């Protein structure tokens, strides 16, 4: 091809770029290699539709000197650099096309999933770091990022593509723009689309490998976006919680949305401190050196949440995972479909699936997820599924946190403030219709105060929910028929001290008190997870300890007493996940204490800084000086261990 | 007031008409073009030209362009902007979809791409339809969103610049919105954005200026 033909081709392809919507106005530029030393480039600041072959500028690729009436594009150095580094390249096109610009604005490389595009760009279209237009920095970053690829995204700028011929370079531009478009458009539809979890994880791994999530400003911005998105959808969340669980707006804010805000606020406030490397003392044996603990995110974490507090039990751990710099896949429960839907909506609107993705569905979806290798698994739910999670995690050696449940006792001794105890027990037990993992499962009451407590409980049920609790607007419902039937079976044939009514059609079960329960009662055989409150009397706290010792360790324990000796005895001698003295449930409404189980009630913990630690690997690094090398540890070993004993004792 | 039709005037009028018509056609092809909103206002040789309310930009006629005075313009605030700032000779009023969405959010649109930083400016404000507020917003950038009218105003030293500013602003609003799905657009450092804008205004747009200035002496 002679020079004139090349000039004509540049004019032609400039117009094609405009027609294809890849450039606007005078933006972007294109070039062709004329010889080993020269190239033809488009002039600076001229409209493509006005260009003529004579307007093209001949530029020396080494000196960047040019001939002709017009000045060459300000990016001539970039074009020349590519020709110098890549002898096989015959044409280069730089555009500010829309979809590539989205990636450029977000500072993101482009994951490539289509096999035909992988052949052109590999699995990732690289991202060049930012440089001011027309500068050597921009040229250096772009050439470095481009490497041997056929295209790359230029941060805050656009894209650049190259090819052996102008036809090929143009085709690469079209394909890269289409690749970006597909990725973004798919993103908008991903709510509706069941994406292959393998593909999602692959994308999350690539994204995590870019290191973007390690940047504290990125994490902060993600948390702010999450908070804003929750705010934006608050009314829909209220509606969904009412639909799935009959939660009133007040209770929904108190036990779900408010806790999410509070956790995000904690993370935003303490992120710098939590993420900072920590310097610790170095033992003498390592002199001279310094010891640092670096906080490193795991990678892609899986958060599986249950249906009883479906919103906060998904988003509170998510806040911790994001604050720690991880990518996440969240799997809300299929039993709370309305909340799962709004969670998926919030997440898909707020984050790319290569950062946070929601998987909805039932058992099959769980199994599918658990067959994948995640870098951490955070599970909240029942023991049976908890075991499956741990088994699946073991196959990949993935670390886990299991937030399980169990029968949480509530001990009321003879010194307790009965009216207040009854009020707090009623609130804690019947909140969310008893479907709370840390709800008092049963009461152990001292025989001397039993009748007084029973009367106070009924008085408080009526004070909080009225004489007809099943019709109270503040009283929730049972999640589904299966659970409703399980609960009714637990009270069949039992003498009920109090029943607040039952309405199966509306899945409403009022508070139930069984005053003559024993350790062998049906309701004592499993975690109740409903509004049934069995009561067992005791005469000596030491016998309570003995009974509890023989049973699985509970997630929570509550003690109502005024006796300091009782407080000390219970906290010192009985093992449980966490709990309260003279209250119920409120120990988890804080970001300053860890929340989690022990033994059968789970492992690991979270909330506040503990969430951050849960989702963080603490990487120990000893930085040793090169100045001195104490020879003590090297062979040949002497017989005298005197010095060794001095360092290691 | 319709244009005068003297023979010498006619020639100049034709040039001006051709130029306005060319950009009007371009605007009519943009998404969100609305006859009841889109308007071109131009300050040329001491006259203020304005497309008539409800003019069809896809089929503009000479009768659709009026020379207006403060008394008979329907857009007094914009008229005053044209008269009071020698850097603003052209204004385009529009209601393109992504700019409208950006305006709805009520937050300023911050440049995350070089082209917006250079051509429009670092920060595009959402303001109420108030002379001082619009004036202040256009001091910082070549465009602003008018919250209470759902309108975007872009400006320039000539009509070309005002139209290009709208094109880039609409693209930037779309890019910023779509980038939300990728974790959000990252704003450019302000100092670098301001530096780029200064260079663009002084040097880079010279070539464009030369060409555009030939268009109807604009």
């Amino acid at each position: 091809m002679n020079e004139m033909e090349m000039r004509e081709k540049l004019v032609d392809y400039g117009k094609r770029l405009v027609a294809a919507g890849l450039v606007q106005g005078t933006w972007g530029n294109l070039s062709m290699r004329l010889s080993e030393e020269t190239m033809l480039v488009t002039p600076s600041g001229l409209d493509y539709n006005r260009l003529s072959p004579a307007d093209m500028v001949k530029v020396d690729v080494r000196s960047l000197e040019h001939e002709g009436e017009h000045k060459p594009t300000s990016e001539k150095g970039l074009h020349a650099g590519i020709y110098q580094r890549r002898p096989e390249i015959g044409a280069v096109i730089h555009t500010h096309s829309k979809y590539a610009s989205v990636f450029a604005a977000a500072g993101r490389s482009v994951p490539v999933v289509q096999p035909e595009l992988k052949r052109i760009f590999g699995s990732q279209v690289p991202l060049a770091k930012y440089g001011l237009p027309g500068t050597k920095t921009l040229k250096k970053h772009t050439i470095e990022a481009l490497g041997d690829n056929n295209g790359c995204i230029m941060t805050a700028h656009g894209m650049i593509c190259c090819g052996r011929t102008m036809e090929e370079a143009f085709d690469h531009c079209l394909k890269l723009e289409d690749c970006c478009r597909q990725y973004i458009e798919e993103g908008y539809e991903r709510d509706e689309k069941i994406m292959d979890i393998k593909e999602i994880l692959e994308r999350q791994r690539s994204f995590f490998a870019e290191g973007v999530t390690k940047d504290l400003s990125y994490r902060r911005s993600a948390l702010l976006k999450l908070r804003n998105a929750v705010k934006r959808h608050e009314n829909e969340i209220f509606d969904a919680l009412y639909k799935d669980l009959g939660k009133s707006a007040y209770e929904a804010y108190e036990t779900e949305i408010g806790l999410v805000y509070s956790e995000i606020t904690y993370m935003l406030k303490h992120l710098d401190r939590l993420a900072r490397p920590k310097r610790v003392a170095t033992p003498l044996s390592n002199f001279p050196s310094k010891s640092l603990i670096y906080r490193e995110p795991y990678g892609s974490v899986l958060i599986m949440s249950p249906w009883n507090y479906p919103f906060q039990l998904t988003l509170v751990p998510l806040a911790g995972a994001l604050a720690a710099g991880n990518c996440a896949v969240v799997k809300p429960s299929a039993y709370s479909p309305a909340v799962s839907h709004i969670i998926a909506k919030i997440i898909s609107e707020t984050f790319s699936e290569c950062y946070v993705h929601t998987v909805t569905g039932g058992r099959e979806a769980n199994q599918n997820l658990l067959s994948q290798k995640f870098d951490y698994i955070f599970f909240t739910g029942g023991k049976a599924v908890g075991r499956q999670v741990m088994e699946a995690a073991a196959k990949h050696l993935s670390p886990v946190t299991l937030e399980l449940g169990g029968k949480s006792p509530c001990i009321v001794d003879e010194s307790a403030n009965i009216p207040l105890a009854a009020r707090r027990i009623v609130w804690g037990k019947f909140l969310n219709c008893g479907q709370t993992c840390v709800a008092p499962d049963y009461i152990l009451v001292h025989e001397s105060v039993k009748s007084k407590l029973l009367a106070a409980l009924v008085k408080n049920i009526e004070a909080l929910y009225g004489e007809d609790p099943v019709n109270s607007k503040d009283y929730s419902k049972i999640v589904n028929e299966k659970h409703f039937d399980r609960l009714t079976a637990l009270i069949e044939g039992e003498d009920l001290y109090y029943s607040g009514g039952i309405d199966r059609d509306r899945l409403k079960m009022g508070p139930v008190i069984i005053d003559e329960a024993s350790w062998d009662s049906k309701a004592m055989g499993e975690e109740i997870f409903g509004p049934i409150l069995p009561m067992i009397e005791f005469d000596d706290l030491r016998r309570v300890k003995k009974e509890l010792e023989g049973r699985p360790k509970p997630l929570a324990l509550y003690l109502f007493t005024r006796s300091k000796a009782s407080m000390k005895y219970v906290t010192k001698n009985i093992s449980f996940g966490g709990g309260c003295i003279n209250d119920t449930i409120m120990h988890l409404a804080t970001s300053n204490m860890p929340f989690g189980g022990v033994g059968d009630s789970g492992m690991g913990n979270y909330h506040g800084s503990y969430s951050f630690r849960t989702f963080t690997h603490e990487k120990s690094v000893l930085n040793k000086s090169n100045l001195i090398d104490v020879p003590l540890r090297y062979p040949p070993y002497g017989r005298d261990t005197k010095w060794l004993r001095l360092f290691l004792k | 007031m319709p244009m005068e039709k003297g023979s010498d005037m006619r020639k100049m009028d034709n040039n001006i008409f051709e130029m306005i018509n060319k950009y009007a056609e371009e605007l009519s092809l943009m998404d969100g073009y609305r006859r009841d909103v889109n308007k071109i206002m131009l300050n040329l040789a001491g006259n203020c030209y304005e497309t008539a309310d409800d003019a069809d930009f896809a089929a503009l006629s000479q009768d659709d362009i009026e020379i207006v005075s403060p008394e008979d313009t329907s857009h007094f605030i914009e008229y005053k902007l044209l008269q009071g700032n020698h850097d603003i000779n052209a204004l385009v009023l529009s209601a393109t979809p992504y700019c409208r969405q950006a305006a709805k959010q009520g937050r300023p649109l911050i440049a995350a791409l070089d082209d917006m930083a250079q051509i429009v400016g670092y920060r595009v404000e959402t303001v109420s339809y108030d002379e001082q507020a619009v004036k202040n917003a256009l001091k910082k950038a070549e465009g602003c969103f008018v919250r209470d009218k759902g309108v975007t105003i872009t400006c320039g030293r000539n009509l070309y610049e005002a139209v290009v500013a709208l094109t880039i602003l609409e693209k930037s609003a779309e890019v910023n919105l779509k980038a939300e799905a990728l974790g959000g657009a990252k704003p450019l450092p302000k100092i670098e954005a301001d530096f780029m804008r200064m260079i663009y205004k002084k040097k880079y747009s010279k070539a464009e200026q030369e060409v555009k200035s030939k268009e109807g002496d604009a």
Side-chain angles (χ1 to χ4, degrees):
Chain A
M1 194 184 297
N2 64 34
E3 185 176 330
M4 182 45 78
E5 284 169 335
M6 277 194 190
R7 285 174 180 271
E8 281 166 1
K9 187 158 263 188
L10 280 166
V11 171
D12 177 30
Y13 275 86
K15 286 176 183 161
R16 286 190 198 206
L17 284 174
V18 177
L22 293 173
V23 292
Q24 296 93 28
T26 64
W27 292 78
N29 35 67
L30 52 164
S31 70
M32 287 182 80
R33 189 195 288 273
L34 190 58
S35 68
E36 210 174 300
E37 297 87 24
T38 53
M39 62 179 180
L40 282 174
V41 295
T42 43
S44 174
L46 290 183
D47 197 332
Y48 289 96
N49 286 320
R50 294 166 184 273
L51 289 179
S52 69
D55 293 326
M56 300 302 143
V57 190
K58 193 191 282 188
V59 178
D60 186 304
V61 294
R62 290 195 183 89
S63 66
L64 299 182
E65 283 171 4
H66 65 274
E67 299 170 10
E69 184 195 345
H70 297 295
K71 278 175 75 176
T73 167
S74 56
E75 301 300 352
K76 57 190 177 296
L78 174 58
H79 289 254
I82 294 170
Y83 291 126
Q84 279 182 292
R85 192 184 173 280
R86 306 261 304 264
E88 81 282 10
I89 294 301
V92 176
I93 302 176
H94 164 50
T95 80
H96 294 224
S97 53
K98 188 166 71 187
Y99 287 97
S101 294
V102 175
F103 280 86
R108 292 271 316 276
S109 58
V110 189
V112 184
V113 283
Q114 302 89 332
E116 71 276 15
L117 294 182
K118 275 188 176 174
R119 281 194 287 277
I120 300 170
F121 301 113
S123 60
Q124 196 89 10
V125 180
L127 173 76
K129 283 194 249 170
Y130 182 65
L132 280 169
T135 60
K136 284 181 180 167
T137 314
L138 178 80
K139 173 185 166 184
K140 179 176 168 272
H141 288 163
T142 308
I143 292 173
E144 264 174 21
L146 186 67
D148 292 329
N149 208 312
N150 286 311
C152 85
I153 299 290
M154 300 159 74
T155 299
H157 212 71
M159 64 138 124
I160 194 157
C161 279
C162 51
R164 282 162 297 181
T165 61
M166 180 51 81
E167 288 81 356
E168 195 177 77
F170 182 74
D171 184 54
H172 290 162
C173 279
L174 288 175
K175 290 205 162 103
L176 178 50
E177 177 68 358
D178 199 45
C179 180
C180 296
R181 184 195 60 75
Q182 276 187 40
Y183 189 88
I184 292 160
E185 296 295 330
E186 268 180 19
Y188 283 118
E189 290 159 12
R190 63 180 171 259
D191 210 14
E192 306 302 321
K193 199 177 163 190
I194 300 165
M195 294 192 84
D196 181 4
I197 189 64
K198 266 190 183 169
E199 190 183 312
I200 297 288
L201 266 173
E202 197 179 306
R203 288 184 188 186
Q204 289 207 346
R205 289 208 179 93
S206 305
F207 183 53
F208 182 76
E210 283 176 30
V212 181
T213 64
K214 291 181 184 168
D215 180 8
L216 290 191
S217 61
Y218 188 84
R219 301 187 206 180
R220 210 170 281 118
S221 136
L223 290 166
L224 282 168
K225 275 182 195 154
L226 183 60
R227 186 166 71 183
N228 291 339
V230 172
K231 270 218 161 76
R232 218 167 38 241
H233 292 286
E234 228 174 54
N235 288 334
E236 289 167 76
I237 301 164
F238 285 136
D239 290 346
L241 285 166
Y242 184 77
K243 206 171 167 188
D244 286 338
L245 293 152
K247 284 189 190 185
S248 66
Y250 193 94
E251 189 179 319
Y253 193 89
E254 181 186 29
T255 62
E256 300 255 16
I257 301 172
L259 296 183
V260 172
Y261 287 148
S262 157
E263 187 76 357
I264 294 175
T265 305
Y266 179 92
M267 292 301 173
L268 287 167
K269 197 173 167 190
H270 297 280
L271 187 58
D272 287 337
R273 177 178 61 81
L274 294 170
R276 198 179 297 143
K278 187 182 172 191
R279 189 163 178 182
V280 292
T282 303
L284 192 60
S285 55
N286 268 321
F287 177 81
S289 58
K290 56 183 176 185
S291 305
L292 282 156
I293 301 169
Y294 289 91
R295 275 71 190 251
E296 184 182 74
Y298 279 107
S300 186
V301 305
L302 171 64
I303 295 168
M304 299 175 88
S305 58
W307 50 264
N308 59 332
Y309 289 87
F311 193 71
Q312 67 109 335
L313 290 177
T314 309
L315 266 64
V316 167
L318 178 64
L322 299 186
N326 296 285
C327 297
V329 172
V330 299
K331 167 64 185 63
S333 171
Y335 287 170
S336 47
V339 178
S340 297
H341 178 75
I342 186 68
I343 287 172
K345 186 176 174 187
I346 286 172
I347 285 176
S348 70
E349 277 180 15
T350 314
F351 304 114
S352 146
E353 79 275 1
C354 60
Y355 184 31
V356 187
H357 180 67
T358 314
V359 173
T360 51
R363 197 170 297 170
E364 200 183 327
N366 283 348
Q367 282 168 356
N368 190 19
L369 275 172
L370 289 171
S371 66
Q372 305 301 318
K373 178 175 167 56
F374 283 92
D375 299 302
Y376 199 95
I377 301 179
F378 186 98
F379 171 80
T380 309
K383 278 186 204 170
V385 185
R387 278 194 192 94
Q388 291 171 13
V389 169
M390 203 162 169
E391 270 177 39
K395 282 182 192 155
H396 300 293
L397 292 176
S398 301
V400 290
T401 288
L402 300 179
E403 295 294 341
L404 308 177
K407 290 183 81 65
S408 301
C410 176
I411 305 167
V412 183
D413 81 359
E414 64 277 24
S415 69
N417 176 341
I418 298 296
L420 192 59
R423 189 178 170 84
R424 290 176 180 171
I425 293 170
V426 166
W427 177 78
K429 175 67 189 180
F430 302 112
L431 183 76
N432 197 27
C433 208
Q435 301 165 114
T436 305
C437 55
V438 287
D441 191 84
Y442 58 96
I443 293 178
L444 293 165
V445 61
H446 193 271
E447 56 190 14
S448 64
V449 292
K450 183 179 172 186
S451 56
K452 207 172 156 193
L453 180 65
L454 280 167
L457 287 171
V458 174
K459 190 178 164 196
N460 277 287
I461 288 171
E462 289 176 353
L464 266 58
Y465 303 111
E467 288 183 0
D468 186 16
V470 284
N471 288 317
S472 164
K473 65 177 175 43
D474 295 324
Y475 192 75
S476 312
K477 68 176 178 101
I478 303 300
V479 67
N480 57 31
E481 288 177 353
K482 184 182 152 197
H483 280 274
F484 191 90
D485 294 340
R486 180 185 65 81
L487 288 166
T488 48
L490 289 181
I491 53 173
E492 249 174 34
E494 295 281 351
D495 280 338
L496 307 182
Y497 179 80
Y498 176 86
S499 170
I502 277 187
D503 180 350
R504 192 177 189 279
D505 292 341
R506 292 189 293 141
L507 297 174
K508 287 275 196 173
M509 177 186 256
V512 173
I513 299 174
I514 306 172
D515 64 328
E516 296 293 338
S518 71
W519 292 108
D520 301 323
S521 300
K522 268 191 285 181
M524 292 303 292
E526 61 184 82
E527 184 181 358
I528 295 169
F529 227 67
I532 301 167
L533 186 55
M535 192 182 280
I536 299 173
E537 59 181 45
F538 70 88
D539 55 3
D540 187 343
L541 210 48
R542 279 170 299 186
R543 286 172 65 164
V544 167
K545 176 193 167 246
K546 208 171 171 193
E547 278 293 346
L548 294 179
E549 269 175 357
R551 293 165 193 282
K553 290 179 181 178
L555 180 58
L557 182 144
Y558 306 109
L559 171 66
F560 286 88
T561 184
R562 283 185 177 122
S563 156
K564 288 201 170 150
S566 295
M567 292 178 198
K568 198 174 168 187
Y569 182 80
V570 168
T571 46
K572 194 177 170 190
N573 292 298
I574 301 175
S575 180
F576 53 92
C580 306
I581 292 170
N582 293 320
D583 207 344
T584 58
I585 295 184
M586 294 306 289
H587 63 293
L588 61 84
T590 168
S591 297
N592 298 318
M593 292 203 294
F595 170 69
V598 58
D600 280 31
S601 58
M603 60 184 70
N605 50 45
Y606 73 126
H607 284 186
S609 61
Y610 300 93
S611 283
F612 189 91
R613 290 183 73 171
T614 287
F615 290 107
T616 298
H617 166 59
E618 294 192 327
K619 187 164 71 179
S620 302
V621 176
L622 180 83
N623 190 343
K624 198 113 187 190
S625 164
N626 287 325
L627 293 174
I628 308 169
D629 190 22
V630 181
L632 205 58
R633 60 180 152 150
Y634 301 113
Y637 303 124
R639 287 192 179 170
D640 189 359
T641 57
K642 185 179 80 178
W643 284 104
L644 198 58
R645 285 175 191 279
L646 183 70
F647 285 117
L648 300 170
K649 59 180 178 186
Chain B
M1 170 177 150
M3 292 174 73
E4 294 171 51
K5 293 179 181 175
S7 58
D8 283 347
M9 275 302 275
R10 178 80 195 170
K11 192 167 178 286
M12 188 188 76
D13 290 347
N14 268 339
N15 286 338
I16 294 169
F17 171 74
E18 287 304 327
M19 176 189 50
I20 294 176
N21 188 38
K22 179 187 148 198
Y23 290 110
E25 258 182 48
E26 223 173 275
L27 290 168
S28 75
L29 296 172
M30 284 182 79
D31 279 348
Y33 162 69
R34 276 172 49 183
R35 278 178 70 164
D36 59 330
V37 172
N38 272 77
K39 185 174 270 291
I40 289 172
M41 294 177 80
L42 194 61
N43 204 9
L44 266 183
N47 286 329
C48 180
Y49 296 85
E50 180 182 318
T51 52
D53 293 346
D54 215 29
D56 181 0
F57 277 20
L60 209 62
S61 72
Q62 292 211 359
D63 290 344
D64 290 324
I65 300 168
E66 299 163 341
I67 297 177
V68 291
S69 63
E71 291 76 34
D72 52 18
T73 176
S74 56
H75 288 70
F76 183 68
I77 289 179
E78 290 85 344
Y79 179 90
K80 284 196 76 178
L81 281 169
L82 278 175
Q83 301 304 315
N85 189 333
H86 70 272
D87 263 352
I88 300 179
N89 293 317
L91 287 173
V92 170
L93 274 64
S94 60
T96 49
Y98 290 100
C99 285
R100 277 170 69 95
Q101 282 205 43
K104 265 188 204 166
Q105 291 182 346
R107 296 190 303 248
L109 184 75
I110 310 284
L113 291 169
D114 286 347
D115 51 9
M116 176 172 161
Q118 293 181 16
I119 297 173
V120 185
Y122 176 70
R123 183 185 175 98
V124 172
E125 301 282 355
T126 301
V127 295
S128 55
Y129 192 57
D130 165 80
E131 187 186 339
Q132 199 53 45
V134 175
K135 198 173 166 184
N136 289 343
L138 295 184
K139 264 185 198 167
K140 294 179 197 161
E142 304 286 278
C144 68
F145 307 123
V146 182
R147 189 188 304 120
D148 36 359
K149 292 185 90 179
V151 166
T152 304
I153 301 177
T154 51
C155 60
R157 291 170 291 193
N158 50 53
L159 192 48
Y160 170 83
E161 282 190 358
V163 172
V164 169
L166 172 63
T167 317
I168 296 296
L169 189 54
E170 176 69 357
K171 178 191 141 190
S172 304
E174 183 177 359
V175 162
N176 276 32
L177 185 82
K178 290 194 159 129
E180 287 292 314
L182 301 177
K186 289 183 180 166
L188 285 164
K190 184 169 187 311
I191 193 160
E192 293 188 358
D194 289 344
F195 177 71
M196 277 190 277
R197 172 124 180 92
M198 187 188 78
I199 299 290
Y200 173 78
K201 281 183 98 166
K202 290 203 167 158
K203 291 183 179 171
Y204 190 66
S205 64
K206 262 188 187 171
E208 289 175 353
Q209 276 283 317
E210 277 168 26
V211 176
K212 304 309 150 198
S213 62
K214 288 169 194 163
E215 290 179 345
D217 296 325

